[in-house]
Amino acid sequence: MTHVPSPNFADLDWWRRSVVYQVYPRSFHDGNGDGTGDLLGMSHALGYLASLGVDAVWVSPWYPSPMADGGYDVSDYCDIDPRYGTLDDAALFVNEAHGLGLRVFIDLVPNHASSAHPLFQAALAAAPGSPEREMFIFRDGKGDDGDVPPTNWGALFGGSAWERVVEADGTPGQWYCHMFAPEQPDWNWENPAVVELFDGIVRFWLDRGIDGIRIDVADSMAKNQNFPDTPTDPKTGYGTTAKFQGHPYWDQPGVEQIHRRWRAIADSYAGSRLGSRIFVSEAHMSPAERLVRYVAPGRLHTTFNFDHLWCEWSGPSQRAMIDTILRVHADVDAPATWVIGNHDTTRVVTRYGKPETGWRFVADGVHPDDALKFAEYFAPLPTDVALGRRRARAAALLEFALPGVAYIYQGEELGLPEVEDLPVESLQDPTWERSGHTIRGRDGCRVPLPWSGERPPYGFGPGNEQPWLPQPADWADLTIAAQTGVPGSHLELYRAALAERHRNPALGDGTLTWDDSAPEVLSFTREPGFRCIVNYGDEVVPIPGNNRLILASSDVSAGIPRDTAVWLSV
Ligand code: NOJ
């Protein structure tokens, strides 16, 4: 039986226990048959999402964009990219989603625009020191000719974080700051006009019935106005992007004011028909005590807990991570937000199928602040896909049993692996070019979803148009159609778990109590009457005698074997 959530917009606390499904619109479902996903396809797929049992859909940027960074380069914050549809299509999508009881989140990209944004084009055309230039971060270069960048800052996609412009008279001129690609100039958040511009953007979408806003790089907008250099990263020769405390463009005091301002705007909508409107912060930050400052009272509602995503697959590591996250969130009365995949990271099936699955890489010198490059460290390692899929199933049952909010990245419910062998000529992630063809980037987790059929395009669109990234030839068994109604399939495990999560009053927001267990076993209870056990070790764990099995991630007829999770009724 599938669960269709009931629209209960009167519940102001809905966001404390939601399951949110991330749609990467380019790759989700193509309604018009041009090989790129779109709003028509998304609308057609709402029935699928409702029957999956999620509560909300987060749509990665859908704005007009030259796609230098897959839509995270926005050229108009109050419109829809014509490849995806129109504002009317978006309104229809939101209405239809609400009709099915699904909330809709969008993605706000406040750190940077696209270089095609009219305000950036105006800044380029205007003179140094003009109000137009003040919307972005322009500075004179150093050296006699001004040909040395204002600081040594490195960009996250590689190279310098500064790009020099050609002035109106044809001479080399000022430099502008871009923490990501040169096509993504950073807004100047010191300028009240920028603050007001974004107030208007937030209201624009809340007025259109958007329930939640994911804030892209929520820790980056404010920059240290002294523009100090950062210690050189020997790997790149530029200033480090690693988030040490006091770094001039990460987690500066100014971001708190921006968050509080947006929170006040969202709170002013609480009395509307849809009730609470909420934020989720995207900020890779450690330690967790530092991260939860972002969800302190009066600030944002939720923040992705990437320690979950980067945690290695081992009992002691997972338990320590969960303990810390629950403790620090309880201190600020915010729900924890669990996430094992997104459009920036190696898919969970592949990650957990590697000989190294997480933190150990950090010990070897890779820091999760390098998240965008992290895929590269996994790529050379061999993958045992069957092992990874088995662990991913267990990880899903663990995630949905934990107190708080859970995110699903599209295709996670199908057990899709990372596509590690995309032909280089198909790669679109800016990292590929910016790294001088040394880092392939994130396209491998963005391959369009397989819906049905035996070969590409697997029903991605209505015709036979091949999608914007090629799909593997061996995905026929992974399509939604192939898994639907098949007992034991990845998809049916997700459906069963989400249906149970809605049914079972012990699941969602709340607390857990650890049971005594061996270090390689996690066992916890949640009231009333629910237990989750995950076995990471070699010893088979017996199912406690007085417990009734609700769900298992693999065969437990002889006890709970390695890499398996069970849900029990106590
Ligand atoms: C984080 C987004 O998730 C990623 O896809 C994007 O490239 C950067 N922010 C820059 O916007």
Side-chain angles (χ1 to χ4, degrees):
M1 218 196 62
T2 52
H3 160 87
V4 178
S6 59
N8 181 6
F9 293 140
D11 173 10
L12 293 181
D13 279 341
W14 60 269
W15 53 273
R16 296 185 69 98
R17 58 173 168 275
S18 296
V19 177
V20 186
Y21 185 96
Q22 181 189 355
V23 163
Y24 191 70
R26 257 176 139 178
S27 303
F28 182 59
H29 198 205
D30 172 14
N32 67 3
D34 66 356
T36 295
D38 51 36
L39 273 158
L40 186 63
M42 283 160 57
S43 283
H44 289 163
L46 279 170
Y48 167 68
L49 294 179
S51 78
L52 180 60
V54 299
D55 305 289
V57 187
W58 150 35
V59 186
S60 281
W62 57 7
Y63 315 103
S65 165
M67 299 283 168
D69 182 19
Y72 286 90
D73 47 322
V74 179
S75 55
D76 183 348
Y77 288 80
C78 297
D79 204 350
I80 298 290
D81 191 283
R83 277 164 286 206
Y84 298 152
T86 62
L87 276 175
D88 284 345
D89 296 330
L92 195 66
F93 172 76
V94 173
N95 268 337
E96 289 178 345
H98 284 165
L100 289 168
L102 298 170
R103 303 272 182 175
V104 178
F105 292 18
I106 55 162
D107 213 314
L108 183 71
V109 190
N111 178 69
H112 43 268
S114 159
S115 51
H117 194 289
L119 290 176
F120 187 73
Q121 287 300 315
L124 287 181
S130 60
E132 288 85 352
R133 288 240 165 141
E134 280 302 301
M135 294 297 282
F136 296 89
I137 304 175
F138 280 88
R139 288 285 177 283
D140 293 332
K142 291 182 182 161
D144 291 342
D145 301 323
D147 56 358
V148 178
T151 72
N152 71 342
W153 296 357
L156 273 91
F157 292 149
S160 167
W162 296 94
E163 185 81 1
R164 196 168 194 189
V165 303
V166 177
E167 302 294 356
D169 64 3
T171 58
Q174 288 194 300
W175 300 71
Y176 67 87
C177 178
H178 61 86
M179 284 172 50
F180 292 87
E183 295 86 355
Q184 294 167 293
D186 284 23
W187 292 101
N188 173 18
W189 277 89
E190 301 299 313
N191 183 345
V194 170
V195 177
E196 277 163 31
L197 179 75
F198 275 87
D199 283 359
I201 293 165
V202 169
R203 288 183 198 281
F204 178 89
W205 290 107
L206 295 182
D207 286 343
R208 274 156 188 75
I210 292 301
D211 302 280
I213 299 181
R214 179 252 193 202
I215 303 172
D216 188 62
V217 263
D219 53 340
S220 63
M221 292 82 80
K223 272 80 181 178
N224 180 332
Q225 293 302 296
N226 295 325
F227 290 89
D229 280 352
T230 55
T232 306
D233 176 346
K235 277 184 293 181
T236 64
Y238 293 98
T240 180
T241 58
K243 297 185 176 180
F244 62 83
Q245 287 215 23
H247 189 291
Y249 58 75
W250 294 123
D251 193 26
Q252 286 285 307
V255 291
E256 176 167 357
Q257 302 319 316
I258 301 168
H259 294 168
R260 288 187 181 277
R261 195 176 171 99
W262 290 340
R263 175 66 186 251
I265 295 176
D267 284 353
S268 74
Y269 283 76
S272 72
R273 182 181 69 88
L274 298 176
S276 313
R277 315 297 182 90
I278 72 113
F279 293 103
V280 54
S281 142
E282 189 236 10
H284 291 261
M285 201 176 295
S286 54
E289 284 79 359
R290 205 171 149 211
L291 178 74
V292 295
R293 288 163 36 247
Y294 282 43
V295 286
R299 222 166 147 176
L300 304 173
H301 301 75
T302 55
T303 184
F304 289 122
N305 153 34
F306 291 113
D307 285 358
H308 181 209
L309 199 154
W310 300 126
C311 186
E312 71 172 355
W313 186 252
S314 94
S317 299
Q318 295 263 330
R319 177 167 172 162
M321 176 276 295
I322 293 166
D323 254 345
T324 304
I325 290 301
L326 290 179
R327 175 175 50 76
V328 297
H329 279 78
D331 286 347
V332 292
D333 192 29
T337 300
W338 307 103
V339 54
I340 53 177
N342 61 29
H343 63 293
D344 290 331
T345 48
T346 307
R347 279 196 179 272
V348 61
V349 160
T350 301
R351 246 176 29 238
Y352 286 166
K354 301 280 188 185
E356 298 282 353
T357 52
W359 282 128
R360 213 112 47 89
F361 268 95
V362 177
D364 290 349
V366 179
H367 193 271
D369 291 342
D370 280 340
L372 298 175
K373 299 166 196 151
F374 209 82
E376 286 321 293
Y377 297 94
F378 286 106
L381 300 171
T383 313
D384 178 340
V385 175
L387 175 68
R389 195 163 283 134
R390 180 184 174 90
R391 289 174 170 172
R393 291 167 64 94
L397 287 196
L398 171 62
E399 176 177 5
F400 300 143
L402 290 172
V405 185
Y407 277 72
I408 299 170
Y409 174 49
Q410 64 178 38
E412 220 163 84
E413 79 281 18
L414 304 176
L416 294 187
E418 182 84 1
V419 182
E420 296 187 290
D421 58 355
L422 282 171
V424 291
E425 60 280 5
S426 68
L427 296 180
Q428 310 231 355
D429 189 335
T431 314
W432 174 241
E433 289 300 328
R434 298 280 296 164
S435 68
H437 296 179
T438 58
I439 300 181
R440 292 169 66 97
R442 301 159 292 172
D443 290 318
C445 64
R446 300 173 176 181
V447 171
L449 286 200
W451 287 79
S452 59
E454 298 297 318
R455 61 190 65 83
Y458 299 113
F460 175 62
N464 272 325
E465 184 72 18
Q466 290 302 315
W468 67 278
L469 276 176
Q471 299 159 308
D474 61 354
W475 273 11
D477 292 344
L478 296 175
T479 66
I480 291 163
Q483 296 196 45
T484 298
V486 176
S489 70
H490 218 93
L491 176 58
E492 291 303 337
L493 179 72
Y494 266 69
R495 283 208 173 115
L498 296 179
E500 179 64 21
R501 185 173 155 119
H502 279 275
R503 224 177 355 242
N504 194 322
L507 295 177
D509 196 19
T511 55
L512 62 71
T513 308
W514 293 108
D515 307 316
D516 284 340
S517 66
E520 283 301 332
V521 177
L522 297 196
S523 179
F524 57 86
T525 41
R526 300 195 59 190
E527 295 304 335
F530 174 88
R531 171 169 288 143
C532 175
I533 302 177
V534 190
N535 186 4
Y536 299 82
D538 286 327
E539 298 257 308
V540 174
V541 176
I543 294 181
N546 53 348
N547 290 187
R548 182 181 63 80
L549 183 66
I550 302 172
L551 265 180
S553 65
S554 30
D555 180 13
V556 290
S557 47
I560 309 164
R562 191 184 179 106
D563 300 324
T564 298
V566 292
W567 284 6
L568 303 166
S569 174
V570 184

